[in-house]
């Protein structure tokens, strides 16, 4: 490598390394952790050997990490090695960098078969070393500022303390209500915008992305950001993740209930306590929902209106923009949207405009250049920002709770460890609810129901938790009604009015309701109603004194909107008009509403709600909706996303006769290209268990893994043709297939397993399990890592399965199979390797009249 170019010109890397103190070197090494880790992923054993030779690690640690590479995997070994080196101190850390520098040519050699993250371009390690020299000093300065904070004059220090006290006087609330500080759990947040479009119903769509993120390999492709480091620089393989300097603007996107507002409030409190964002002297928080209807105002007016104690010091406050952080929460809740422009312009802090336009000008660095801005929004609204934002803009996606964070939340929600463990066990048993509990507000709602489920009934068993989302929400509503002692008469009418308000808001994209709108529904305060509404409709006081109401979570609003059609006297006529609107919508924002309509038709939901509601559901409403759902099942098959949502509706209904009737004409179920979640697979198993007419299941490129294959197991032997290509099934997924084949009840005709990570060992077991499949004509194993070891097993399969031929996509391998089938001599391993590497023949299934084994 050429000598890295430092800030002051060309200097030796080793000289630069020698001039870094031990504490600073530890910080920089932690900063470049992901890049160094990728070197280990590429050459684990070589790096261990070089580190041992350089005395960075001792023989015991070297042998221990080697053992981990072999037994636990290279990823876990990388974390262990890195932590040990950091723990050993300066000499070991310095030796690590020397090894990376002196042996960089060796480490940059390509090594096939390693994790994708290790497949760097040739210049990436060299780029890391250059970056460490050229950017290391500025990174250390930023770290120092974040630890010590900016220097302020005595007057501004006093003002900061006044402002901190004002911030701490306001409690933190999450999307489900007030949030005790001890209940807060950190959220998963990753760098990068979404790679493809998504429907407006983020709960269902984010569930699919979240399931993909949980995959080990997929998770390694993301750069996770902690709450306190949103405005810090991070480094990832292939170059820095984000701007060259620290980001000035951060856009945080996330679906309803994902914790965006909670995150901002928590950050404000962390700043006020001096526990995060120390590089900012002042942090200001604004909510778009409170700024609606306030007309045009200047930045000076906005700050003075929300923070009166700062009014006399605004000039001094804005004179040091690099120490100022402004956070705007809920762009999607604004009644207007900004008008972006590409060309830079200067805007005065006294210039009046809509609040949302003020936010955009601040982000574009046209107003108070140098300040930092954090903006949160649901994903759809971010599209309105267009271009014109600075290059130092970081886009973040909020993904909620991982599995460990769900456990932590439950431990903090319940009073004791025993209850928390029992609740988590119940949550895991209901995979649908567990999958969606990545959403913090939804998780909180589920915990409320779980608390009642832990009360043992007759015989000491836990009370049923509910199998579907609709059943969960029905139990949630029932719990609130019980606690507030709902009167036997009139409760159904109250819920109907609340539900109609909820549905009106969904149609008008409204999340906030005025006091006049609430009173117009006849929701007059009573002793019962006041307590009940406080949990169903949260009350807020806007800066102008107007009282506003909102539902704690979007899905609760959707459930109550669906429930209203089953409680009102005119539900049948209203439902007809609503179904016309739902059927015409292509945005996907009514997906959950339709699922709830289906779920409320189930007998269990009826029984749950009728325990308190004196009004029975009108049967004609259920009949009308089920007729619409049957028709929709026939017309939505071409749109795979809509069809999958229809399958979820059938699952929510828990009506096997309806599911069978709706899907009976269906012969092929094709969801190829749709990323399936764990619960999607559970839904597929349910509907296929109801309908025996499906003969062909196509799930190619659907993010299947071992766990999802386990969920599909009961459905596999019900079909004759299965396509699972382009899925990383792994050992567990392949074993599921093998076990189903061994059961002997699978009348298999066609099995396509191209690019599924199939190995020789798993292939031999799979082919052996085929037994004597008399109907099997097509078997495709292309684009897998198979060698000549699999040829005897392939030959045995063709002998046992009489309709299965021995035609391969690559001619030389096909000739080898023919000779083996005739007891001819076995070719050498080199011949087979050459056969697999030469001229590509046709991939996939041919249209031959003979059976086929495809190994291309």
């Amino acid at each position: 490598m050429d000598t890295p170019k430092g800030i002051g010109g060309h200097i030796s890397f080793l000289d630069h390394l020698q001039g870094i103190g031990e504490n600073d070197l530890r910080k920089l090494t932690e900063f470049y952790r992901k890049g160094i880790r990728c070197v280990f992923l590429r050459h684990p054993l070589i790096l261990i050997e070089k580190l041992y030779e350089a005395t960075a690690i001792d023989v015991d640690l070297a042998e221990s990490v080697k053992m981990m590479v072999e037994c636990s995997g290279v990823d876990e070994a990388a974390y262990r090695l890195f932590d040990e080196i950091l723990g050993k101190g300066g000499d070991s850390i310095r030796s690590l960098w020397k090894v990376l520098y002196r042996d960089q040519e060796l480490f940059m050699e390509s090594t096939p078969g390693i994790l994708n993250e290790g497949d760097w371009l040739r210049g990436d390690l060299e780029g890391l070393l250059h970056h460490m020299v050229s950017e290391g000093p500025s990174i250390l300065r930023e770290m120092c500022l974040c630890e010590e904070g900016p220097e302020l004059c005595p007057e501004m220090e006093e003002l900061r303390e006044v402002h901190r006290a004002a911030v701490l006087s306001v409690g933190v609330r999450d999307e489900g209500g007030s949030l005790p500080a001890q209940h807060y759990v950190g959220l998963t947040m990753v760098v990068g915008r979404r790679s493809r479009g998504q429907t407006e119903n983020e709960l269902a769509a984010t569930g699919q992305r979240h399931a993909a993120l949980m995959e080990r390999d997929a998770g390694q492709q993301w750069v996770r950001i902690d709450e306190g480091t949103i405005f810090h620089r991070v480094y990832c393989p292939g170059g820095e993740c984000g701007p060259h300097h620290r980001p000035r603007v951060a856009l945080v996107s996330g679906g309803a209930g994902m914790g965006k507002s909670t995150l901002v409030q928590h950050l404000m409190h962390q700043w006020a306590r001096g526990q995060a964002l120390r590089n900012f002297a002042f942090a200001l928080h604004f909510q778009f929902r409170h700024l609606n209807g306030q007309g045009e105002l200047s930045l000076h007016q906005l700050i003075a209106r929300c923070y009166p104690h700062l009014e006399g010091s605004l000039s001094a406050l804005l004179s040091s923009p690099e120490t100022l952080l402004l956070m705007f929460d809920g762009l999607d809740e604004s009644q207007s949207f900004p008008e972006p422009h590409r060309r830079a312009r200067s805007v005065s802090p006294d210039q009046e405009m809509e609040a949302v336009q003020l936010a955009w000008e601040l982000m574009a660095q046209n107003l108070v250049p140098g300040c930092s801005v954090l903006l949160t929004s649901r994903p759809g609204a971010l599209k309105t920002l267009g271009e014109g934002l600075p290059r130092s803009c970081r886009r973040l996606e909020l993904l909620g709770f991982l599995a460990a964070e769900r456990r932590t939340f439950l431990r903090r929600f319940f009073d004791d460890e025993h209850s928390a463990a029992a609740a988590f066990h119940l949550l895991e048993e209901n995979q649908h609810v567990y999958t969606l509990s990545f959403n913090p507000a939804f998780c909180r709602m589920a915990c409320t129901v779980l608390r009642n489920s832990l009360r043992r009934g007759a015989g000491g068993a836990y009370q049923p938790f509910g199998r579907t989302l609709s059943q969960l929400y029905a139990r949630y509503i029932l719990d609130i009604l019980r606690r507030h002692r709902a009167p036997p008469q009139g409760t159904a009418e109250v819920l109907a009015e609340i539900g109609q308000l909820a549905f009106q808001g969904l149609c008008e994209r409204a999340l906030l309701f005025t006091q006049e709108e609430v009173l117009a529904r006849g929701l007059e305060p009573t002793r019962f109603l006041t307590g009940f509404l406080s949990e169903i409709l949260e009350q807020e006081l806007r800066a102008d004194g107007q009282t506003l109401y909102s539902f704690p979570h979007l899905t609760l609003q959707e459930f109550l909107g669906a429930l209203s059609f089953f409680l009102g006297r005119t539900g049948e006529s209203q439902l007809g008009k609503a179904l016309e609107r739902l059927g015409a919508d292509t945005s996907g924002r009514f997906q959950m509403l339709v699922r709830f309509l289906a779920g409320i038709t189930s007998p269990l939901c009826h029984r749950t709600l009728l325990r308190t509601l004196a009004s029975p559901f009108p049967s004609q409403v259920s009949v009308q909706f089920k007729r619409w759902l049957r028709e929709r099942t026939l017309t939505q098959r071409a749109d795979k996303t809509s069809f999958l949502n229809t399958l979820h509706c059938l699952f929510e209904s828990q009506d096997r006769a309806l599911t069978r009737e709706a899907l009976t004409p269906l012969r092929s179920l094709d969801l190829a290209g749709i990323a399936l979640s764990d619960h999607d697979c559970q839904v597929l198993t349910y509907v296929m268990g109801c309908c025996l007419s499906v003969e062909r299941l196509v799930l190619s490129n659907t993010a299947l893994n071992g766990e999802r294959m386990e969920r599909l197991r009961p459905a596999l032997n019900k079909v004759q043709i299965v396509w699972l290509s382009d899925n990383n099934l792994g050992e567990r997924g392949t074993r599921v297939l093998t076990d189903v084949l061994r059961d002997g009840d699978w009348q298999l005709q066609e099995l396509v397993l191209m690019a599924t990570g199939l190995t020789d060992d798993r292939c031999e077991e799979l082919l052996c399990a085929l037994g004597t499949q008399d109907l099997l004509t097509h078997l495709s194993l292309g684009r897998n890592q198979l060698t000549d070891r699999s040829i005897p097993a392939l030959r045995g399969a063709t002998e046992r399965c009489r309709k299965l031929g021995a035609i391969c996509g690559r001619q030389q391998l096909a000739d080898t199979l023919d000779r083996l089938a005739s007891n001819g001599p076995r070719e050498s391993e080199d011949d087979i390797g050459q056969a697999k590497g030469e001229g590509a023949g046709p991939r996939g299934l041919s249209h031959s009249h003979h059976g086929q084994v495809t190994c291309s």
Side-chain angles (χ1 to χ4, degrees):
M1 166 184 116
D2 295 333
T3 305
K5 186 177 181 180
I7 295 176
H10 289 280
I11 63 173
S12 164
F13 177 84
L14 296 179
D15 289 343
H16 175 79
L17 182 65
Q18 195 62 33
I20 303 175
E22 179 175 342
N23 189 43
D24 288 344
L25 185 60
R26 184 188 302 275
K27 293 178 182 178
L28 285 176
T29 307
E30 184 66 49
F31 178 82
Y32 292 106
R33 180 179 190 132
K34 195 174 183 71
I36 299 171
R37 173 175 163 272
C38 283
V39 178
F40 184 84
L41 293 181
R42 169 176 291 188
H43 295 286
L45 299 181
I46 295 177
L47 182 56
I48 293 171
E49 179 183 349
K50 293 296 181 181
L51 289 173
Y52 173 69
E53 292 175 357
T55 67
I57 59 177
D58 56 31
V59 64
D60 291 336
L61 179 58
E63 292 300 324
S64 176
V65 176
K66 283 183 181 179
M67 185 68 69
M68 288 191 70
V69 171
E70 298 174 1
C71 300
S72 304
V74 65
D75 191 55
E76 291 185 25
Y79 283 107
R80 165 75 188 284
L81 178 64
F82 200 90
D83 289 341
E84 290 285 350
I85 290 177
L86 282 178
K88 285 180 177 295
D91 290 341
S92 293
I93 297 174
R94 211 172 297 276
S95 295
L96 168 65
W97 284 102
K98 290 178 181 179
V99 166
L100 294 175
Y101 172 72
R102 289 169 176 165
D103 296 294
Q104 60 186 285
E105 293 294 334
L106 175 63
F107 293 133
M108 287 191 294
E109 293 177 2
S110 61
T111 302
I114 304 299
L115 293 173
N116 290 335
E117 192 179 4
D119 293 336
W120 278 3
L121 297 174
R122 178 173 171 79
D124 282 344
L125 176 55
E126 184 177 2
L128 185 152
L129 298 172
H130 272 291
H131 195 279
M132 194 262 206
V133 173
S134 61
E135 296 298 318
S138 62
I139 291 170
L140 287 172
R141 285 195 296 271
E142 290 176 12
M143 289 179 175
C144 180
L145 180 63
C146 292
E147 291 175 358
E148 301 177 2
E151 294 184 6
L152 300 176
C153 66
E155 292 79 12
M156 295 305 290
E157 281 189 3
E158 182 179 352
L159 182 63
R160 180 176 61 181
E161 295 308 311
V162 171
H163 182 54
R164 283 177 169 174
V167 170
L168 292 174
S169 67
V170 181
V172 179
R173 295 171 63 84
D174 71 355
E175 281 77 352
S178 60
L179 179 71
Q182 67 271 22
H183 282 189
Y184 182 82
V185 176
L187 303 169
T188 298
M189 190 161 38
V190 294
V191 174
R193 67 182 71 192
R194 302 190 171 201
S195 59
R196 54 185 175 184
Q198 153 172 323
T199 61
E200 286 196 34
N201 196 296
E202 297 97 350
L203 182 64
T206 306
Q208 296 176 4
R209 279 179 62 78
H210 201 272
L213 183 66
M214 296 308 99
E215 289 300 312
R216 190 174 193 180
D217 292 346
Q220 291 171 350
Q221 297 170 8
W222 296 91
V223 177
R224 182 171 175 174
I225 296 291
D226 295 326
E227 298 159 356
T229 60
I230 290 177
F231 290 97
H232 294 188
R233 281 198 281 179
V234 295
Y235 188 89
C236 70
E240 190 181 8
C241 183
H244 184 64
H245 300 290
R246 80 166 184 85
R248 293 288 184 190
V249 178
L251 304 180
V252 179
S253 68
M258 287 298 292
K260 300 182 296 296
S261 297
T262 310
L263 169 67
V264 174
Q265 294 174 62
H266 182 70
L267 283 174
M268 283 292 293
H269 276 245
Q270 290 291 91
W271 171 83
R273 296 189 184 101
Q275 297 173 351
L277 306 174
R278 294 179 182 174
N279 52 312
F280 297 109
F282 291 89
L284 309 177
H285 172 210
F286 310 98
Q287 289 182 292
F288 282 115
R289 60 164 60 188
H290 291 161
L291 299 175
N292 286 329
Q294 296 199 29
E296 295 187 348
L297 71 171
S298 68
L299 179 61
H300 281 163
Q301 292 170 336
L302 174 64
I303 297 175
R305 187 173 299 181
C306 297
Y307 299 99
H309 56 276
L310 298 178
E311 184 173 6
S313 306
L314 291 178
S315 297
L317 194 70
L318 301 181
S319 65
S320 299
E322 68 280 357
T323 67
L324 179 62
L325 170 63
L326 301 101
M327 295 188 275
F328 291 87
D329 182 31
L331 174 65
D332 53 285
E333 297 178 357
S334 176
Q335 292 178 347
S336 61
F337 291 96
E339 297 180 1
H341 44 81
R342 296 185 182 183
R343 300 182 62 182
R345 63 177 185 175
S346 178
V347 181
S348 168
D350 291 318
Q351 186 173 337
E352 295 184 356
M353 61 189 75
E354 291 284 344
V356 70
Q357 193 67 34
L358 271 177
W360 195 93
E361 300 292 353
L362 285 166
M363 289 188 293
Q365 300 291 291
N366 299 325
L367 176 60
V368 195
C371 73
S372 298
V373 182
L374 172 68
L375 181 138
T376 74
S377 175
R378 290 165 66 187
L382 289 179
K383 299 175 184 177
T384 64
L385 295 180
E387 300 180 11
L389 294 178
R391 295 181 62 185
S392 61
C393 176
R394 171 173 286 165
R395 294 179 181 265
L396 299 165
E397 185 175 355
L398 202 57
L399 292 175
F401 291 160
L402 303 186
E405 291 156 351
R406 294 176 214 187
R407 286 184 179 274
T408 301
F409 185 87
L410 263 67
R411 281 198 303 270
R412 296 178 180 177
F413 186 90
F414 291 94
D415 297 332
D416 59 273
E417 284 287 339
H418 177 75
S419 297
F424 192 81
H425 177 70
L426 287 177
L427 188 64
E428 281 187 310
E429 284 185 339
N430 189 319
Q431 191 59 41
H432 191 182
V433 178
Y434 177 79
T435 300
L436 296 181
S437 63
F438 69 86
N439 184 294
F442 180 84
C443 189
R444 187 171 186 266
M445 212 171 294
C447 285
T448 302
V449 178
L450 278 167
R451 185 158 44 196
N452 292 323
S453 297
L454 292 178
R455 299 168 185 162
R456 297 183 184 272
Y462 289 125
Q463 296 182 18
F465 181 39
R467 187 180 182 189
T468 68
L469 276 180
S470 304
Q471 293 168 11
L472 173 72
Y473 276 85
R475 288 180 58 81
Y476 180 74
I477 296 296
L478 176 62
D479 175 68
I480 297 176
L481 291 172
R482 280 175 173 172
R483 283 189 280 109
H484 294 286
R485 298 181 180 180
Q489 301 296 328
T491 302
E493 288 75 9
V494 169
L495 277 178
E497 292 296 338
I498 295 175
Q500 289 171 17
L501 180 69
F503 183 72
Q504 174 189 337
L506 293 172
C507 293
E508 298 175 359
R509 301 174 186 264
L511 300 175
L512 294 171
F513 306 91
T514 64
Q515 189 167 15
E516 290 74 19
E517 289 175 312
V518 173
L519 293 176
R521 291 288 176 181
L523 301 175
E524 298 290 343
T526 65
R527 184 173 182 180
F528 152 68
L529 193 56
T530 300
F532 178 72
L533 283 182
S534 67
E535 296 199 47
I536 296 297
L537 283 173
E538 294 187 345
Q539 185 175 336
E540 299 182 14
L541 188 63
R542 205 164 64 179
D544 60 3
Q546 186 176 14
T547 302
L548 298 175
Y549 296 87
S550 63
F551 292 91
H553 189 239
L554 176 62
T555 51
L556 180 61
Q557 182 176 349
E558 290 168 318
F559 178 79
L560 290 169
L563 183 61
S564 67
F565 295 103
F566 296 86
L567 299 176
R569 296 180 180 178
T570 58
E572 185 176 7
S573 61
Q574 291 178 338
L575 181 62
K577 297 177 183 178
L579 292 178
E580 290 182 12
R581 180 167 192 163
L582 300 182
D585 179 76
T586 58
S587 68
R589 63 192 178 99
F590 293 115
Q591 282 186 358
M592 291 302 298
L593 176 71
V594 176
R595 292 188 193 182
F596 284 135
L597 284 169
I600 294 172
T601 65
S602 68
L604 185 56
C605 270
H606 285 196
R607 291 194 299 270
T608 300
L609 290 169
L610 283 175
R611 294 174 187 174
T612 301
L613 304 179
S615 170
F617 291 171
S619 59
Q620 64 271 22
V621 175
S622 296
V623 171
Q624 182 182 12
F625 176 77
K626 289 181 178 181
R627 181 170 59 247
W628 178 83
L629 185 58
R630 280 194 298 268
E631 295 171 356
R632 185 175 178 84
T633 305
L634 294 173
T635 59
Q636 293 293 324
R637 292 177 187 172
D639 185 339
K640 295 178 182 179
T641 302
S642 297
F643 182 62
L644 179 59
N645 191 62
T646 302
L647 297 183
H648 275 270
C649 292
L650 294 172
F651 175 82
E652 287 287 326
S653 74
Q654 291 293 294
D655 188 332
R656 299 182 68 86
L658 170 66
T659 303
R660 186 162 48 250
E661 184 180 353
L663 295 178
T664 292
L666 192 67
R667 293 290 180 268
S668 176
L669 203 160
D670 184 355
L671 293 174
I674 300 291
L676 300 179
S677 67
D678 293 345
H679 183 61
D680 291 331
C681 296
Q682 181 183 355
V683 168
L684 284 177
T685 298
Y686 169 79
V687 297
M688 293 182 66
C690 298
C691 176
L692 301 179
S693 64
V694 177
E695 300 173 352
R696 182 172 179 265
L697 181 63
V698 180
L699 300 179
S700 301
N701 189 25
T702 53
L704 291 182
N705 59 11
E707 185 173 350
R708 288 167 206 150
M709 287 294 293
E710 289 280 7
R711 300 191 183 284
L712 287 172
R713 179 197 292 262
L716 291 175
N717 63 3
K718 299 181 184 301
V719 292
Q720 289 80 50
I721 300 172
V722 180
W723 286 35
L724 301 173
S725 298
D726 298 294
N727 289 300
N728 185 19
L729 301 184
E731 180 177 348
R732 183 178 176 184
T734 309
R735 195 175 298 280
V736 169
L737 278 175
T738 303
D739 291 344
V740 176
L741 284 167
R742 283 174 178 156
D743 289 342
D745 296 330
W746 197 357
Q747 300 299 309
L748 186 61
Q749 296 180 11
E750 190 173 308
L751 181 60
V752 180
L753 297 174
M754 299 175 67
T756 53
L758 197 60
T759 63
D760 286 323
D761 291 336
R762 300 285 77 80
C763 180
E764 290 174 15
E765 293 181 8
L766 180 70
L767 293 173
C768 182
L770 284 174
T772 56
Q773 288 282 345
D774 293 334
L775 299 179
L776 183 64
T777 60
H778 291 79
L779 177 63
S780 182
L781 306 176
R783 290 185 284 141
N784 285 298
Q785 297 176 358
L786 301 180
T787 69
D788 63 323
R789 280 183 51 198
S790 296
I791 290 180
L794 285 167
R795 182 186 63 179
T798 59
E799 292 173 348
R800 293 191 305 273
C801 304
R802 292 173 295 180
K803 293 187 178 181
L804 182 63
I807 304 173
C808 293
R810 299 179 191 268
Q811 189 58 47
Q812 189 172 353
L813 185 55
D815 295 341
T816 301
L817 280 170
D818 288 341
R819 282 195 295 273
L820 284 171
S822 303
N823 295 320
R826 175 171 178 167
E827 294 197 7
S828 69
E829 193 170 313
D830 291 340
D831 292 336
I832 299 300
Q834 184 181 7
K836 293 177 66 180
E838 294 180 351
R843 292 185 175 183
L845 302 179
S846 72
H847 297 285
S848 167
H849 295 293
H850 302 287
Q852 183 182 36
V853 179
T854 305
C855 296
S856 57

